Amino acid sequence: MLPLPVPASVYGLVLLLLALNFRLIRLEDVKEVGVFLTGIFPLLFVPAAAGVMELWAEMGEMLLPIIIAIIPVTVLVMVTAGKTTQALTSRKKNKEAAANDGIAE
């Protein structure tokens, strides 16, 4: 029914993000479930890993291109996540410092 070829779980995550940003849902309401799901993440990837193991023979021919694709993308994701986290952390510290300076005056 939706126009884009995007999995429903992605739509759900976008809706959750919007609901959190517009304060329709409080973080405290979903925090416990988020912590639980983060804790069982490895279990959620077992079926995908089993599928890869099943197709290992077919993937053997494509192993080099797969590795060439995976390594730079992994590094790019790690660098992007790190830089984003650093930027958000420094932004938060700057806001707190500005607020503290305003209170001190």
Side-chain angles (χ1 to χ4, degrees), residues 49-63 66:
V52 169
M53 297 298 283
E54 190 174 297
L55 298 173
W56 189 253
E58 291 85 12
M59 288 178 54
E61 318 167 340
M62 301 182 299
L63 190 58
I66 290 171

Side-chain angles (χ1 to χ4, degrees), residues 40-76:
I40 65 165
F41 245 31
L43 182 64
L44 299 176
F45 289 104
V46 168
V52 169
M53 297 298 283
E54 190 174 297
L55 298 173
W56 189 253
E58 291 85 12
M59 288 178 54
E61 318 167 340
M62 301 182 299
L63 190 58
L64 185 60
I66 290 171
I67 289 173
I68 290 172
I70 288 176
I71 291 175
V73 170
T74 302
V75 171
L76 179 65

Side-chain angles (χ1 to χ4, degrees), residues 27-42 44:
L27 181 60
E28 294 80 29
D29 295 339
V30 294
K31 188 173 183 176
E32 185 178 341
V33 173
V35 169
F36 170 74
L37 289 174
T38 304
I40 65 165
F41 245 31
L44 299 176

Side-chain angles (χ1 to χ4, degrees), residues 86-100:
Q86 286 178 339
L88 292 174
T89 303
S90 67
R91 183 176 167 192
K92 183 177 179 182
K93 285 181 183 177
N94 290 341
K95 278 187 175 181
E96 289 174 356
N100 289 339

